[in-house]
Amino acid sequence: MNASTETLPVVVIGAGPIGLAAAARLVERDIEPLVLEAGPAAASAVRTWAHVRLFSTWGEVVDPAAEKLLAPTGWVKPDPAAYPSGGDWAERYLQPLADALGERVRYGATVTGVSRAGRDRIVDADREAQPFVVHHTAADGTETRVFARAVIDASGTWSSPGPAGASGLPALGERAAGERVSYRVPDLKDPAVRARYAGKRTAVIGSGASAFTALAGLADLAKVESGTRAAWILRRGLSGSTFGGGAADQLPARGALGLAAKAAVDDGHADAVTGFRTEAVERDSAGRLVLVGEDGRRLDAVDEVIVLTGFRPDLAFLGELRLGLDDRLQAPSALAPLIDPNQHSCGTVYPHGAAELSHPEKDVYLAGMKSYGRAPTFLAMTGYEQVRSIAAALAGDHEAAERVELTLPETGVCGGAGLFDEPAAAEETGGGCCSTPATLAIGAPATASGGC
């Protein structure tokens, strides 16, 4: 990289929790960031699940470098033992952090392509001496480009949910039934959303914490709206691990969420359908949806379908870069074996940084949830450790980049979300590994949980 390139900013894609933490870490290292955010405000994706309560505490979702950046503004850190909702996280931390970064954050900027200036992915000659060029589009369609010394893609995977189809493709008829299919945890406090599911039969497809949350919410609704019922569609069978770590989980609220899903089944609010791999979505004579399995089974008709089968990265705008990605997970090749969901959960994924996140294209990093590709086991604190290491590497501090500064909690699955009414009760469980969550009845204000 030549001297003029070194004066360019590091472009960070996405003003979510990991992107903003990356910017704070770069500022800490006297490296100028430029954050490109597609939405009109910070944490646009988080705001879409503002009703969801995290299963990590405030103490686990505030990055230390960001906290230092916020301190001179008069920002007051929330109670470290309390559990924020997505809305709390966005309004009380992420937006103030973006405001503190000021003009370093550019809104309404949708990245459409990243390459080396004057070099497509084929060209070797003088490649690493060229700056990166990042094309982005404004809300009015205006196209702009910026040059960068490095690129950190922290755009997440929220915009690319997995389909109902077990093959990884949408089930036959899934798109045609789109008006009755949702890929998000419903906000059942919203009257319009509540009316959509009240008194209806809903299929929930998925086996992670987001599915647990949807089941808990529907079971709660069933107590006050007769006729409300859920069919829980599982591609695997029920086992001791189906509901996560339970009382042994070092994130108590995450363990309690699994217990909530179990209660939904035990109390008769949800029927578990196991070993069912959706192949088609058809309609009966009344227009209701019928799920058809690859084994020929046809389930009883439902009014709505909630698909919570995980997410996948959008790699289209990175097509001119030389990325080293695992064929299965679409995660960086060195990271993929560490996060393979067939073998790992939070506690068996050791903290990692720039070394595991590097690519054949020097100074390009996927960070945060996007770095995990299709793997679901991700915590915000993992992303904070990633960008701490990346910023150190870009500053030439290789000792700091290689140093591990994080210990992760054990057991359970890291992805997912929680939906509970009383955060105060959640705080009583605490966030440490020694806390023991109470057994949770559906709808009871006992614990919180979330996607981080």
Side-chain angles (χ1 to χ4, degrees), residues 104-427:
R104 297 181 177 105
V105 181
R106 187 177 299 176
Y107 300 111
T110 300
V111 174
T112 57
V114 183
S115 186
R116 291 278 188 178
R119 307 289 189 275
D120 63 22
R121 66 182 296 159
I122 298 174
V123 179
D124 291 332
D126 214 22
R127 186 177 187 85
E128 289 189 3
Q130 305 307 310
F132 292 95
V133 59
V134 181
H135 287 215
H136 60 91
T137 304
D140 64 1
T142 303
E143 295 179 284
T144 307
R145 68 176 182 178
V146 295
F147 294 96
R149 59 172 287 191
V151 176
I152 301 172
D153 182 359
S155 59
T157 57
W158 183 250
S159 63
S160 304
S167 64
L169 303 174
L172 299 177
E174 182 176 343
R175 292 191 180 97
E179 79 282 1
R180 293 195 177 191
V181 180
S182 171
Y183 299 87
R184 308 290 188 231
V185 174
D187 181 2
L188 295 175
K189 290 184 179 179
D190 182 316
V193 176
R194 190 178 182 87
R196 178 174 177 174
Y197 297 99
K200 306 289 180 61
R201 178 174 167 82
T202 300
V204 177
I205 303 176
S207 59
S210 292
F212 295 170
T213 301
L215 290 168
L218 291 170
D220 190 25
L221 183 60
K223 293 181 178 180
V224 294
E225 296 285 353
S226 62
T228 304
R229 195 165 182 82
W232 185 17
I233 314 302
L234 292 154
R235 293 171 182 170
R236 298 171 295 181
L238 287 175
S239 69
S241 63
T242 299
F243 302 100
D249 201 310
Q250 288 195 19
L251 288 178
R254 184 180 62 202
L257 184 61
L259 298 176
K262 186 175 188 301
V265 176
D266 292 345
D267 295 346
H269 297 302
D271 301 316
V273 181
T274 60
F276 189 91
R277 297 180 177 272
T278 306
E279 184 174 80
V281 180
E282 299 179 356
R283 292 183 185 265
D284 67 8
S285 58
R288 302 175 79 204
L289 303 182
V290 177
L291 300 183
V292 182
E294 65 178 13
D295 58 2
R297 277 187 289 171
R298 300 173 65 85
L299 304 185
D300 292 340
V302 297
D303 302 286
E304 299 284 342
V305 177
I306 300 173
V307 181
L308 300 168
T309 56
F311 297 87
R312 54 201 41 193
D314 176 7
L315 300 168
F317 62 85
L318 302 176
E320 292 303 320
L321 297 177
R322 298 175 177 181
L323 301 182
L325 298 174
D326 179 75
D327 290 340
R328 295 178 304 128
L329 295 184
Q330 296 178 296
S333 298
L335 178 62
L338 310 179
I339 61 174
D340 185 343
N342 294 299
Q343 303 178 41
H344 296 287
S345 66
C346 295
T348 58
V349 177
Y350 69 78
H352 52 274
E356 292 85 357
L357 298 172
S358 62
H359 293 275
E361 194 79 71
K362 187 175 182 295
D363 294 334
V364 169
Y365 299 94
L366 308 187
M369 191 67 227
K370 190 160 186 177
S371 72
Y372 272 42
R374 298 193 181 200
T377 53
F378 182 79
L379 292 170
M381 60 182 101
T382 300
Y384 295 158
E385 173 70 359
Q386 289 179 339
V387 296
R388 181 202 64 76
S389 175
I390 290 169
L394 291 174
D397 187 348
H398 301 295
E399 186 279 327
E402 295 171 3
R403 187 171 62 239
V404 173
E405 296 185 4
L406 173 65
T407 301
L408 291 172
E410 295 180 357
T411 75
V413 179
C414 305
L419 188 60
F420 296 91
D421 296 332
E422 301 284 349
E427 294 161 24

